[in-house]
Amino acid sequence: MLGKEAVRAYMKATYMKLPKFHVERMIAGGDFVAAIGEISLLDDKGKYTDYSYCDVWEFREGKMAELKAFVIAKGKKN
């Protein structure tokens, strides 16, 4: 499975609820865009875990060609 369907399948299998995003900064240059910020994910016990993240997208011919995501856990909230 590739493309949008692969992303949809991953999201459905991974997230019980949609994550909460806060984008702190976006940087663009050439065919690349990077987003830096925080994301909170709900775990199977109903608690959110906060992460710092950086997504780097590469575009070719006006379409997203590649995404690399880096995530670091920050701690748990009640």
Side-chain angles (χ1 to χ4, degrees):
M1 185 181 327
L2 297 172
K4 294 176 190 173
E5 291 306 317
V7 173
R8 288 182 183 122
Y10 170 79
M11 295 285 287
K12 185 176 182 180
T14 304
Y15 301 124
M16 299 173 157
K17 280 185 139 181
L18 290 178
K20 297 177 184 177
F21 281 95
H22 172 71
V23 179
E24 294 173 3
R25 183 173 301 139
M26 293 191 82
I27 304 165
D31 294 333
F32 293 89
V33 176
I36 301 164
E38 296 181 0
I39 182 174
S40 296
L41 303 173
L42 191 64
D43 67 18
D44 58 353
K45 296 177 183 169
K47 293 187 179 185
Y48 278 94
T49 301
D50 295 329
Y51 300 87
S52 293
Y53 79 90
C54 178
D55 290 345
V56 180
W57 294 280
E58 181 180 1
F59 292 87
R60 290 187 210 122
E61 298 177 8
K63 295 183 179 181
M64 187 172 70
E66 186 174 351
L67 166 63
K68 290 188 178 184
F70 303 91
V71 180
I72 301 169
K74 293 176 72 173
K76 292 223 178 214
K77 282 187 195 178
N78 290 329

